[in-house]
Amino acid sequence: MNEQQRKEQAQIRQVDSIHDNNENMERIKNTSSDELITKYFQSNQTPNINKARKRFKEDVKFHYDFSIPEDMASIGKGKKFLIRTYGCQMNEHDTEVMAGILNELGYESTTDTNEADIILLNTCAIRENAENKVFGEIGHLKPLKLEKPDLILGVCGCMSQEESVVNRIMKKHPHVDLIFGTHNIHRLPQLVKEAMFGKEQIVEVWSKEGDIIENLPKARKGKIKAWVNIMYGCDKFCTYCIVPMTRGKERSRRPEDIIQEVRHLVAEGYQEVTLLGQNVNAYGKDFEDMDYTFGDLMDDIHKIDIPRVRFTTSHPRDFDDRLIEVLAKGGNLLDHIHLPVQSGSSEVLKKMNRKYTREDFLELVRKIRKAIPNATLTTDIIVGFPNETEEQFEETMSLVREVGFESAYTFIYSPREGTPAARKKDDVPEEVKKQRLYRLNELVNKQSAESMKQYKDKVVKVLVEGESKKDPDVLAGYTEKNKLVNFKGPKSAIGKIVDVKITETKTWSLDGTMVENTIEVN
């Protein structure tokens, strides 16, 4: 190491040593933030959005040799961790993996921040509101970090893949010890070790997609429902979406590994699996050695003895006839389909780079309805995309009516730095956007309430997940069509599928009475 490099390393250590005490914090204020950031970026693996946009042709490698390093095997004994999760089911699943790894290191889970020796914020980059919540939490944790200097505070997930976020954390929140992204979760033992024994802030964010790492430990919640990741990344590049940059290119797990994981879950007594991916029905399109699609995978899982199989999230562009044909077989393949449309206007869809029109979407719905007459459809909708006209918004409203969506996740458009849509000049006032969201939600609520009425006095099968959040004397679970049901019954019903007669319908849930002697033992 030459003299210049030594000076740079010393300056970086000066930045990161602010964890140690308040005196160091005061000293750091006198140093140029921009200069320190520049030095830091030279010495760490930080995100690069331009690199993240590229889709490299290198083959994705599969690794089956994950293991905990011997010197880390019991490093967490007697210590506890807390992971706060923001965002989608993919983040929830990533949290299960990180929790599994930390368990292997000897750590125990806690929900009390004051007990935790490691706190990780697993973040979402989809919406500005989620980002604000994370930075608020980072600020709230600063006093705890000063009180407990040995506490390891980390930020991970999709926000960590954004240059502006990492830059902001390093400038304004140097009490954060560890920053890592979505492609290197398997390196958590090494990262924890570096954070534990080093004095420097650890930043390891890969802009290039990682390979697929199998055999990662998972700490799943309960033994009833499980997420099974079938692929990673997204190649669709919708103009509003940061996911292709934070999650990387589409890359599919091998079918035999997925099927083995599902069978293992069956052996452990799970009643339901949800197949996960940023775009699940693009599964298999990256395989070069075989012709095997998402429909083929669903057909193989259809043959496995597990009561319920769901999937999320799908893209209308990749929802092909083979998948519809397989879903029509029914059985454990449930007929609730979440199909994000985003807008009912062909012009807006084109600006979003969705690569389908309003007419294409309605034709897909027609095909699904023909093959699966009783299918329940839900969706995602963005209101107020840049320069959306009143006419275009009304096209969305009419599409919602025509399809008859029984539920929808609705959002006001949120610009994300680094996406094409964020560069668009927008002439729609915020108040107009809020009014449109209100009108859309009124319609969705009305359709949801109407759809619920059909269940009055009918018997439905409910997978019981546990006690109701509002009343411990009431049990709660979901029907095959993903309707929430609350009912009174014995605690022995938890984790099983029971018959419930619906006595009252509400906008978003059903109340009922359990039919005696109908617990299905699986």
Side-chain angles (χ1 to χ4, degrees), residues 130-158:
E131 187 171 303
N132 291 338
K133 285 182 180 178
V134 171
F135 277 111
E137 185 63 17
I138 291 173
H140 290 150
L141 290 170
K142 183 176 179 179
L144 182 63
K145 175 64 180 175
L146 293 175
E147 181 185 330
K148 297 172 60 177
D150 292 334
L151 168 69
I152 296 175
L153 176 58
V155 177
C156 56
C158 291

Side-chain angles (χ1 to χ4, degrees), residues 115-375:
E115 288 184 349
D117 298 281
I118 294 179
I119 297 176
L120 298 178
L121 306 181
N122 186 9
T123 63
C124 171
I126 294 294
R127 297 186 57 76
E128 185 178 12
N129 187 45
E131 187 171 303
N132 291 338
K133 285 182 180 178
V134 171
F135 277 111
E137 185 63 17
I138 291 173
H140 290 150
L141 290 170
K142 183 176 179 179
L144 182 63
K145 175 64 180 175
L146 293 175
E147 181 185 330
K148 297 172 60 177
D150 292 334
L151 168 69
I152 296 175
L153 176 58
V155 177
C156 56
C158 291
M159 274 176 57
S160 298
Q161 295 289 151
E162 297 182 85
E163 292 173 78
S164 60
V165 168
V166 173
N167 195 316
R168 179 176 171 182
I169 292 174
M170 292 171 66
K171 276 188 175 183
K172 298 184 178 181
H173 305 283
H175 60 285
V176 173
D177 302 290
L178 176 60
I179 304 170
F180 62 101
T182 60
H183 304 320
N184 57 334
I185 289 173
H186 62 286
R187 281 192 33 82
L188 186 55
Q190 292 82 359
L191 296 172
V192 168
K193 181 179 179 180
E194 290 182 45
M196 186 176 288
F197 296 113
K199 289 190 176 181
E200 297 180 0
Q201 190 179 54
I202 308 302
V203 181
E204 184 178 289
V205 184
W206 298 352
S207 295
K208 181 186 179 300
E209 301 87 350
D211 292 334
I212 291 180
I213 315 296
E214 294 290 350
N215 302 326
L216 291 169
K218 300 175 185 70
R220 291 187 164 100
K221 296 177 182 177
K223 293 281 186 179
I224 302 171
K225 298 167 71 171
W227 309 110
V228 176
N229 194 289
I230 67 169
M231 65 179 300
Y232 304 89
C234 182
D235 288 345
K236 291 298 175 283
F237 286 98
C238 301
T239 57
Y240 55 82
C241 187
I242 196 72
V243 166
M245 281 70 86
T246 62
R247 289 285 179 176
K249 70 179 179 183
E250 291 175 353
R251 50 212 192 278
S252 304
R253 291 178 65 194
R254 301 296 295 185
E256 58 269 24
D257 294 326
I258 297 168
I259 291 167
Q260 181 183 27
E261 182 174 350
V262 173
R263 285 179 174 154
H264 181 67
L265 292 169
V266 172
E268 289 189 329
Y270 283 87
Q271 302 295 295
E272 178 178 306
V273 296
T274 299
L275 306 183
L276 281 185
Q278 248 68 48
N279 176 17
V280 288
N281 42 7
Y283 174 82
K285 293 189 175 184
D286 55 320
F287 290 145
E288 295 184 355
D289 61 335
M290 61 177 165
D291 182 13
Y292 189 91
T293 66
F294 185 50
D296 297 320
L297 177 66
M298 291 294 281
D299 201 20
D300 283 338
I301 292 178
H302 173 62
K303 301 165 188 171
I304 298 176
D305 188 21
I306 187 164
R308 295 183 173 188
V309 179
R310 303 186 190 274
F311 61 92
T312 193
T313 285
S314 57
H315 193 295
R317 182 175 155 199
D318 290 323
F319 212 106
D320 58 27
D321 292 345
R322 167 63 173 157
L323 178 57
I324 295 173
E325 172 195 341
V326 172
L327 293 178
K329 294 181 179 182
N332 60 1
L333 305 182
L334 303 185
D335 56 3
H336 165 243
I337 298 172
H338 189 69
L339 195 60
V341 65
Q342 306 301 0
S343 174
S345 164
S346 294
E347 292 177 349
V348 173
L349 289 170
K350 184 176 181 180
K351 292 176 181 177
M352 290 179 168
N353 195 37
R354 293 290 285 176
K355 299 291 179 69
Y356 57 83
T357 65
R358 173 193 178 93
E359 291 71 30
D360 294 334
F361 187 86
L362 290 173
E363 174 60 16
L364 173 59
V365 169
R366 187 195 66 77
K367 287 182 179 181
I368 292 172
R369 296 274 193 220
K370 182 178 180 182
I372 317 167
N374 295 320

Side-chain angles (χ1 to χ4, degrees), residues 345-479:
S345 164
S346 294
E347 292 177 349
V348 173
L349 289 170
K350 184 176 181 180
K351 292 176 181 177
M352 290 179 168
N353 195 37
R354 293 290 285 176
K355 299 291 179 69
Y356 57 83
T357 65
R358 173 193 178 93
E359 291 71 30
D360 294 334
F361 187 86
L362 290 173
E363 174 60 16
L364 173 59
V365 169
R366 187 195 66 77
K367 287 182 179 181
I368 292 172
R369 296 274 193 220
K370 182 178 180 182
I372 317 167
N374 295 320
T376 294
L377 297 181
T378 58
T379 195
D380 296 343
I381 297 173
I382 296 172
V383 167
F385 192 75
N387 306 309
E388 177 189 64
T389 66
E390 181 64 22
E391 181 182 8
Q392 289 166 343
F393 171 70
E394 283 296 340
E395 288 185 274
T396 296
M397 294 285 279
S398 67
L399 181 82
V400 170
R401 294 188 192 96
E402 186 169 348
V403 175
F405 291 117
E406 296 188 13
S407 178
Y409 294 104
T410 60
F411 311 93
I412 291 177
Y413 165 74
S414 178
R416 308 310 295 139
E417 184 178 339
T419 61
R423 299 193 294 267
K424 299 274 187 184
K425 185 178 179 180
D426 187 7
D427 62 4
V428 183
E430 191 67 21
E431 189 57 38
V432 172
K433 294 177 182 180
K434 290 179 180 178
Q435 290 173 358
R436 288 176 183 172
L437 182 67
Y438 178 80
R439 287 157 55 196
L440 175 61
N441 285 341
E442 269 197 323
L443 175 59
V444 172
N445 292 348
K446 179 182 176 183
Q447 292 188 180
S448 177
E450 284 297 318
S451 70
M452 290 298 200
K453 289 178 181 178
Q454 65 182 298
Y455 296 100
K456 182 71 183 293
D457 297 327
K458 290 187 178 179
V459 175
V460 295
K461 291 192 176 298
V462 177
L463 174 55
V464 188
E465 296 186 23
E467 298 173 353
S468 167
K469 293 179 181 179
K470 296 181 179 179
D471 187 346
D473 294 327
V474 173
L475 298 181
Y478 286 84
T479 70

Side-chain angles (χ1 to χ4, degrees), residues 11 15 31-41 171:
Q11 195 170 19
V15 177
T31 310
S32 164
S33 295
D34 289 334
E35 181 183 358
L36 291 172
I37 290 295
T38 300
K39 300 294 185 185
Y40 213 112
F41 270 70
K171 276 188 175 183

